[in-house]
Amino acid sequence: MWKLKIGGASGPWLRSTSGFLGRQVWEFDPDAGTAEERAEVERMRQNFTEHRFQRKESQDLLLRLQYAKLNSLGINNPKIKLENVTEVTEELISTSLARALNQWSTLQAHDGHWPGDYSGILFIMPMFIFSLYVTGSLNIVLSSEHQREICRHIYNHQNEDGGWGIHVRGPSTMFGSCLNYAALRLLGEMLNGNDALIKGKDWILLHGTATHVPQWGKIFLSILGIYDWSGNNPIIPELWLVPYFLPIHPGRFWCFCRLVYMSMAYLYGKKFVGPITPTVLALREELYCGSYENIDWNKARDSCAKEDLHYPHSQVQNVINGCLNRFVEPMLNYWPANKLRERAMSNLMEHIHYNDETTEYITICPVDKALNMICCWVENPNSNAFKQHLPRVYDYLWLAEDGMKAKIYDGCQSWETPFIIQAFCSANLIGEFGPTIEKAHEFIKKSQVVANYPSYQSFYRHRSKGSWTLSTIDNGWSVSDCTAESVKALLLLSKISPKHVGDPIEEQRLYDAIDCLLSFMNKDGSFSTYERKRTYSWLEVLNPSESFQNIVIDHPSAECTASVLDALILFKELYPMYHNKEIEQCTESAVKFILSKQRDDGSWYGTWGICFTYGTFFGVKGLSAAGRTYDNSSSIRKACNFLLSKQQNTGGWGESYLSIETEVYVDNGAPHAVDTAWAMLALIYAGQVEIDPAPLHRAALVLMNMQLESGEFPQEEHIGCANSAFYFNYPNYRNVFPVMALGEFRRRLIANQNKDGRT
């Protein structure tokens, strides 16, 4: 039976600067579990498979089964009956919050964070399979039990038409279909008599064959040996040798873009191909019409299936690629120009090793991880670097009733835990849940990055000292809004007696965090994610991916800016003398940026969540923290009008992921708990309770009626997004924001009652 292990790990090739704080690894123990527990797990799996086309998102039931045994609630947690109720009361909300927090507290890990399924993207696991296969490590890293569960997940998320999308709700694409089909074959699944594989193969052939896979797919299939490197547009390693002052230097690109393409450039420069096995030869036959040897790779180079083509090559790219293919790339393969390539390749490996070592071989993301592993193996199959990569693969694997999947990061521990603390504070039940909050408090304090990495500027890294990451301290990559939300949570807890929540963080570490936040500010007062914006937005014209938008630049967003603005204003209230002028200038500029991003209809486009509901929640959150109200701000009034215009007849809100792609609000047709909570919070911050609380009463009823028997809120459609293409799950959003919304509404109701009583 599978068990989730948190934290501590051992092995000659594993290392950590934090004692593996926050690490999440699923391990299989053949002797674990009772017969009843094993039967329950199988029932959960079968139920998902039977209903997979109706409900595509797993409910993280295996985690909940394990934690129900570890942290038994021990009290009766009955569901509230809200029949014929039209207006909620403070008492009803209090009961709902207590039910939610009682159950939610049982899902906390011993180190203070809340583990969960941070997945949803379907091309990541195949990349790991390819990486392990070409390095001969597949059966070393992945046991038969791992492989069985991985196959289960891939089959469970095959679309009815036979293909696979790039996310669990997505329509079939050539990228998702080719990678998942090939992964199943590499895992030993046979085509003969396998209806699912036959349907997958037919979808690929019907939609243009693997010659029409977009760029990232071409790269990975080339590494595997089922697509020829000559069918790729060049990714020249020499670009890293141009002077840094040029806007096209990769050191100026968004960190995800530069690190992924760094590894791709190395493998392109090597034209590396893994072992040509019988399975690889079979895939060459299965993924194409006609003979593999007769494929026109020059034509394939610029072919992309219409299902995948969201960012076509620009004319500028076509000219550049033509020159690189005809003149530059051939020249760089012969003396003396090949000496330049050797230097460029050596430079790339130096950067790859730095990224590996400063992240304890987790790297910045799973795509980068899979590629870096191959690069280290190509350089030296027996190197310590490659050996240290292997055990960190497990950091990216997650298990649920739909099978084993790859997370989009090694977790979101340091992003969600501060929001969870804020939700507990909103509920105002500190005394009842003191031990839970204290553990979370300790986790945040221990998760701060307390020093800069050696020579970080030489490797184009932003400062780290004082920051928080998205996931674990071992990951090491500082993020602006993760740092801001952690600061806010710590400041809120500093107002509460230590006997309830533990000792506050040291003042100097708060100052370090503020210094770090200020260092993230762009010239216009905005904030991006991992670094400041380093080059011009027009460079997106060079985006080569074909499938993903806005990947070249670390574009600023209203959400990141609002999080930082909120944290800085709260900090200034409590520490008015520290960097007073700098913070004042920063907050003024941040407000201007947020206002500039508001659309004519009153909404903000969400970059990291779906979509206008999420963006508007953060836009209002930031502006209200800066003192904007319904009475004094037309921007706030427009935002309220926008949200109220999207409230469904049910009283809730529900927005489709299609809003991201169309850039127009698309209603999902049914209320979504998290969407409803975001809209409620924005309206509450704007002062809707004081103006007309009726829409909020209706929304609160929707949330409380959605509450499950357990006390939790339901897992619904995934609501995280990135690059207008990636859609994924934040595991604790389902509880964080409904609890926060109900808690804030309850506080406003009590405040109004007290105000009326005084009058």
Side-chain angles (χ1 to χ4, degrees):
M1 192 167 172
W2 289 92
K3 295 290 182 184
L4 178 65
K5 181 179 180 180
I6 300 295
S10 60
W13 304 111
L14 270 172
R15 66 183 198 184
S16 170
T17 58
S18 65
F20 301 99
L21 180 70
R23 188 176 189 233
Q24 308 164 352
V25 174
W26 284 92
E27 297 179 345
F28 184 77
D29 181 354
D31 300 320
T34 65
E36 291 78 11
E37 288 171 337
R38 294 180 187 183
E40 178 64 8
V41 169
E42 287 307 313
R43 186 196 65 77
M44 293 171 176
R45 289 169 173 163
Q46 290 173 14
N47 185 60
F48 182 89
T49 300
E50 288 171 7
H51 300 95
R52 66 189 183 279
F53 296 129
Q54 293 77 44
R55 168 167 276 181
K56 294 177 178 287
E57 296 82 12
S58 61
Q59 308 296 298
D60 226 356
L61 296 178
L62 302 191
L63 168 75
R64 281 157 172 76
L65 180 66
Q66 176 178 331
Y67 274 62
K69 185 176 181 180
L70 285 174
N71 306 318
S72 177
L73 190 56
I75 61 171
N76 189 24
N77 210 25
K79 185 175 175 63
I80 311 172
K81 294 182 180 180
L82 295 173
E83 298 173 3
N84 303 318
V85 174
T86 57
E87 187 174 287
V88 298
T89 63
E90 182 267 328
E91 290 78 14
L92 280 175
I93 297 176
S94 296
T95 303
S96 175
L97 287 170
R99 290 186 66 240
L101 296 180
N102 277 327
Q103 178 62 23
W104 200 13
S105 62
T106 69
L107 299 175
Q108 186 182 31
H110 64 83
D111 65 2
H113 85 282
W114 278 258
D117 181 359
Y118 191 35
S119 74
I121 298 175
L122 298 180
F123 59 75
I124 297 174
M125 182 62 85
M127 291 177 176
F128 277 127
I129 302 301
F130 289 13
S131 180
L132 294 171
Y133 188 85
V134 300
T135 59
S137 310
L138 184 63
N139 294 322
I140 297 171
V141 174
L142 300 178
S143 67
S144 60
E145 294 295 335
H146 282 93
Q147 295 184 38
R148 180 180 298 112
E149 291 304 318
I150 291 169
C151 288
R152 185 196 307 277
H153 185 263
I154 295 175
Y155 283 131
N156 271 331
H157 292 284
Q158 185 178 19
N159 290 329
E160 290 182 90
D161 63 7
W164 285 265
I166 62 172
H167 60 97
V168 298
R169 281 200 167 261
S172 297
T173 63
M174 190 62 71
F175 186 28
S177 298
C178 284
L179 266 66
N180 281 283
Y181 178 91
L184 286 171
R185 296 287 283 113
L186 297 178
L187 289 167
E189 297 296 288
M190 304 303 293
L191 183 60
N192 291 340
N194 188 324
D195 290 341
L197 278 179
I198 291 169
K199 284 182 70 177
K201 175 188 171 185
D202 289 346
W203 191 96
I204 292 167
L205 298 182
L206 183 64
H207 290 80
T209 79
T211 57
H212 284 64
V213 74
Q215 188 208 32
W216 284 21
K218 284 177 166 65
I219 295 291
F220 273 91
L221 296 186
S222 298
I223 291 167
L224 190 59
I226 56 178
Y227 187 96
D228 197 274
W229 277 108
S230 64
N232 288 274
N233 282 305
I235 308 174
I236 58 169
E238 291 74 17
L239 186 60
W240 285 82
L241 299 180
V242 304
Y244 182 76
F245 67 80
L246 293 176
I248 61 168
H249 190 287
R252 295 185 176 277
F253 296 169
W254 188 33
C255 53
F256 284 99
C257 178
R258 71 169 179 266
L259 292 171
V260 166
Y261 279 96
M262 178 195 301
S263 308
M264 287 181 174
Y266 181 81
L267 295 168
Y268 175 85
K270 287 285 187 181
K271 305 296 189 294
F272 169 73
V273 178
I276 306 302
T277 65
T279 303
V280 169
L281 292 173
L283 283 166
R284 288 182 175 183
E285 294 181 6
E286 294 164 18
L287 295 179
Y288 302 96
C289 297
S291 170
Y292 182 80
E293 288 71 22
N294 294 330
I295 293 172
D296 184 347
W297 297 111
N298 288 327
K299 182 180 178 182
R301 187 183 299 131
D302 294 310
S303 297
C304 184
K306 62 181 176 59
E307 292 82 3
D308 297 73
L309 190 58
H310 301 297
Y311 205 90
H313 287 167
S314 64
Q315 287 300 317
V316 173
Q317 280 178 289
N318 290 335
V319 171
I320 293 172
N321 287 334
C323 292
L324 291 174
N325 274 308
R326 291 187 182 90
F327 309 113
V328 178
E329 184 60 23
M331 179 183 68
L332 287 167
N333 285 290
Y334 294 97
W335 188 89
N338 61 358
K339 296 298 181 183
L340 184 64
R341 171 138 300 180
E342 290 175 9
R343 181 182 162 206
M345 299 289 275
S346 175
N347 177 58
L348 288 179
M349 280 310 301
E350 184 181 357
H351 282 266
I352 288 168
H353 286 312
Y354 182 86
N355 182 36
D356 289 345
E357 291 163 7
T358 54
T359 61
E360 307 296 0
Y361 291 83
I362 295 169
T363 76
I364 195 172
C365 72
V367 180
D368 179 39
K369 167 75 175 173
L371 290 165
N372 281 14
M373 230 175 359
I374 302 171
C375 293
C376 291
W377 188 86
V378 171
E379 185 187 44
N380 181 357
N382 297 311
S383 67
N384 289 348
F386 176 69
K387 292 173 183 175
Q388 288 180 90
H389 260 295
L390 294 179
R392 284 297 193 173
V393 171
Y394 302 120
D395 293 55
Y396 284 102
L397 306 183
W398 189 264
L399 186 72
E401 66 271 19
D402 59 340
M404 181 162 277
K405 61 202 78 174
K407 295 185 286 186
I408 71 162
Y409 215 76
D410 63 312
C412 50
Q413 300 90 319
S414 291
W415 170 246
E416 287 192 329
T417 305
F419 277 116
I420 294 171
I421 285 176
Q422 293 174 45
F424 273 91
C425 290
S426 294
N428 200 26
L429 295 172
I430 303 299
E432 293 86 337
F433 296 97
T436 299
I437 299 169
E438 185 172 1
K439 283 200 297 183
H441 191 185
E442 286 303 309
F443 180 83
I444 293 182
K445 289 189 290 185
K446 291 177 181 176
S447 296
Q448 187 181 24
V449 181
V450 296
N452 290 318
Y453 290 98
S455 307
Y456 69 95
Q457 292 172 315
S458 300
F459 293 91
Y460 316 116
R461 288 281 294 270
H462 194 77
R463 67 166 281 171
S464 301
K465 184 178 180 181
S467 71
W468 276 264
T469 70
L470 173 65
S471 56
T472 60
I473 194 170
D474 282 347
N475 171 277
W477 277 87
S478 55
V479 189
S480 65
D481 54 352
C482 297
T483 301
E485 296 298 344
S486 291
V487 167
K488 181 177 179 180
L490 290 168
L491 292 173
L492 290 174
L493 292 178
S494 72
K495 297 179 176 183
I496 301 169
S497 170
K499 71 178 183 181
H500 292 303
V501 299
D503 294 328
I505 193 169
E506 293 91 334
E507 223 171 73
Q508 184 56 52
R509 288 175 59 188
L510 266 183
Y511 294 160
D512 291 342
I514 297 303
D515 291 346
C516 187
L517 282 179
L518 292 173
S519 75
F520 277 113
M521 185 176 65
N522 294 314
K523 291 179 180 179
D524 61 356
S526 66
F527 288 81
S528 304
T529 53
Y530 288 76
E531 296 152 345
R532 285 188 289 193
K533 183 181 176 185
R534 295 176 174 178
T535 191
Y536 305 104
S537 297
W538 60 259
L539 277 171
E540 284 294 345
V541 75
L542 301 179
N543 179 352
S545 70
E546 299 172 314
S547 295
F548 315 126
Q549 296 183 39
N550 300 325
I551 67 169
V552 178
I553 312 301
D554 195 349
H555 295 278
S557 69
E559 303 105 290
C560 289
T561 306
S563 284
V564 176
L565 176 62
D566 194 7
L568 288 177
I569 288 172
L570 181 57
F571 175 82
K572 187 181 175 185
E573 290 175 8
L574 298 176
Y575 298 89
M577 302 308 295
Y578 190 76
H579 286 327
N580 180 47
K581 289 184 179 179
E582 293 94 328
I583 291 175
E584 190 171 325
Q585 291 170 357
C586 177
T587 54
E588 288 176 1
S589 299
V591 167
K592 290 178 183 177
F593 174 79
I594 294 171
L595 290 171
S596 74
K597 289 299 177 180
Q598 188 176 29
R599 297 192 166 204
D600 291 340
D601 64 1
S603 69
W604 281 266
Y605 180 85
T607 305
W608 302 105
I610 298 171
C611 165
F612 295 101
T613 318
Y614 181 78
T616 304
F617 157 58
F618 272 95
V620 173
K621 170 187 172 183
L623 292 179
S624 65
R628 300 300 198 276
T629 67
Y630 191 94
D631 291 330
N632 67 21
S633 171
S634 61
S635 179
I636 293 289
R637 291 193 293 273
K638 285 169 62 179
C640 289
N641 291 336
F642 169 79
L643 288 171
L644 292 173
S645 74
K646 304 304 178 186
Q647 188 171 23
Q648 298 168 342
N649 292 333
T650 60
W653 281 262
E655 187 176 1
S656 168
Y657 76 88
L658 295 173
S659 294
I660 292 284
E661 299 173 9
T662 63
E663 297 191 18
V664 176
Y665 188 97
V666 179
D667 195 282
N668 205 28
H672 189 294
V674 181
D675 273 330
T676 300
W678 285 339
M680 280 185 69
L681 284 165
L683 291 169
I684 290 167
Y685 296 150
Q688 185 68 37
V689 177
E690 292 74 27
I691 300 159
D692 177 13
L696 291 166
H697 279 286
R698 294 173 61 215
L701 278 170
V702 168
L703 283 184
M704 289 190 287
N705 279 319
M706 294 176 84
Q707 208 167 1
L708 304 174
E709 290 289 340
S710 65
E712 286 194 274
F713 294 88
Q715 172 66 62
E716 299 170 288
E717 290 89 344
H718 293 169
I719 207 156
C721 73
N723 306 108
S724 303
F726 305 138
Y727 307 102
F728 47 85
N729 182 50
Y730 281 99
N732 285 291
Y733 275 21
R734 61 189 284 188
N735 292 315
V736 166
F737 291 106
V739 166
M740 194 182 294
L742 290 172
E744 290 297 325
F745 187 41
R746 173 177 170 271
R747 289 171 66 176
R748 298 311 194 280
L749 289 177
I750 293 173
N752 280 357
Q753 288 170 6
N754 293 338
K755 182 179 177 183
D756 293 342
R758 287 194 300 271
T759 337

